[in-house]
Amino acid sequence: MSNVFEGYERQYCELSANLTKKCTAAGALNGEQKKQKVSEIKTGIDEAEALIRKMDLEARSLQPNVKGVLLAKLREYKSDLNNLKTEVKKILSGNLNPSARDELLESGMADAMTASADQRTRLMVSTERLNKTSDRVKDSRRTMLETEELGVSILQDLHSQRQSLLHAHNTLHGVDDNIGKSKKILTNMSRRMNKNKWIIGGIVLVLVIAIIVILYFKLSK
């Protein structure tokens, strides 16, 4: 909820309550006192209209989910202001004889004040309901932000785990390369050992033959 809107809203509610009291008082006045009171009421209504325009501009500058709640409030305030204007018209139409004016005060003004009180009660109930709706919107937004933060955290963890798996894969690939190189070295060593065995075997065979030949010639003499 906008703090600016709430400030205008408080001013309007205080002004509206004050105007209602002045309307009630003006209905019982005559002459210049009545004119002065009506003038004060008109000035107050102008101020109330200015506050409603400010609230309307502020509401329309906000996010759609908040804007809808505030515009619903504004409709209630505009209806309340129209009722005040109607009461002022009834007061201005009081150019009647004393008995008719007394009848108006006893019946018409009483009915108008009752209607205004009922309207104001409904306005308060609607405002409270809209405030609760706004609170639920705030809670939903807070939950959404917390869920978003949790999702971001999970994605970061998954990314970290992926990096770890890639690192382990690269490490295993390096180990495989080292094992392959070691296998080649061992194969070459094995071949060399077999080759050396054949060479040594050949040398031994030559020596044995040489010894046999030498012994043969010595014995034959």
Side-chain angles (χ1 to χ4, degrees), residues 62-101:
L62 300 175
Q63 296 177 352
N65 56 342
V66 179
K67 180 173 68 175
V69 175
L70 298 184
L71 290 178
K73 279 188 175 185
L74 274 177
R75 286 193 290 271
E76 294 288 341
Y77 294 150
K78 289 177 181 178
S79 176
D80 174 68
L81 186 59
N82 288 332
N83 286 337
L84 286 173
K85 291 179 180 179
T86 301
E87 292 175 14
V88 173
K89 289 179 180 178
K90 289 181 179 180
I91 293 171
L92 291 175
S93 65
N95 296 323
L96 306 172
N97 55 48
S99 61
R101 186 169 57 251

Side-chain angles (χ1 to χ4, degrees), residues 109-129:
M109 287 300 296
D111 293 339
M113 292 301 103
T114 301
S116 178
D118 292 341
Q119 175 67 24
R120 214 165 304 283
T121 300
R122 290 194 299 272
L123 179 62
M124 291 176 63
V125 172
S126 299
T127 300
E128 184 179 357
R129 185 169 61 251

Side-chain angles (χ1 to χ4, degrees), residues 20 43 49 86 140 148 166 171 198 201:
T20 300
T43 301
E49 288 180 334
T86 301
S140 299
E148 183 179 354
L166 288 175
T171 302
W198 284 105

Side-chain angles (χ1 to χ4, degrees), residues 44-191:
I45 288 176
D46 291 339
E47 293 177 3
E49 288 180 334
L51 287 171
I52 285 179
R53 286 194 296 272
K54 290 178 180 179
M55 284 190 284
D56 185 73
L57 289 174
E58 178 64 20
R60 294 182 187 280
S61 67
L62 300 175
Q63 296 177 352
N65 56 342
V66 179
K67 180 173 68 175
V69 175
L70 298 184
L71 290 178
K73 279 188 175 185
L74 274 177
R75 286 193 290 271
E76 294 288 341
Y77 294 150
K78 289 177 181 178
S79 176
D80 174 68
L81 186 59
N82 288 332
N83 286 337
L84 286 173
K85 291 179 180 179
T86 301
E87 292 175 14
V88 173
K89 289 179 180 178
K90 289 181 179 180
I91 293 171
L92 291 175
S93 65
N95 296 323
L96 306 172
N97 55 48
S99 61
R101 186 169 57 251
D102 291 341
E103 183 180 354
L104 174 65
L105 291 175
E106 293 175 358
S107 59
M109 287 300 296
D111 293 339
M113 292 301 103
T114 301
S116 178
D118 292 341
Q119 175 67 24
R120 214 165 304 283
T121 300
R122 290 194 299 272
L123 179 62
M124 291 176 63
V125 172
S126 299
T127 300
E128 184 179 357
R129 185 169 61 251
L130 290 171
N131 285 333
K132 290 180 179 179
T133 302
S134 177
D135 291 339
R136 286 196 296 270
V137 171
K138 287 182 180 178
D139 291 339
S140 299
R141 181 174 177 79
R142 188 182 303 109
T143 302
M144 181 182 68
L145 290 174
E146 291 174 354
T147 303
E148 183 179 354
E149 291 176 357
L150 179 61
V152 171
S153 177
I154 292 174
L155 288 176
Q156 289 176 346
D157 290 340
L158 290 175
H159 178 72
S160 177
Q161 292 175 9
R162 181 175 180 273
Q163 293 298 113
S164 299
L165 290 173
L166 288 175
H167 179 71
H169 176 73
N170 292 333
T171 302
L172 290 174
H173 183 70
V175 171
D176 289 340
D177 291 342
N178 292 331
I179 291 174
K181 291 178 181 179
S182 299
K183 185 177 180 180
K184 289 180 181 179
I185 293 172
L186 290 173
T187 301
N188 291 332
M189 290 177 64
S190 177
R191 289 176 181 174

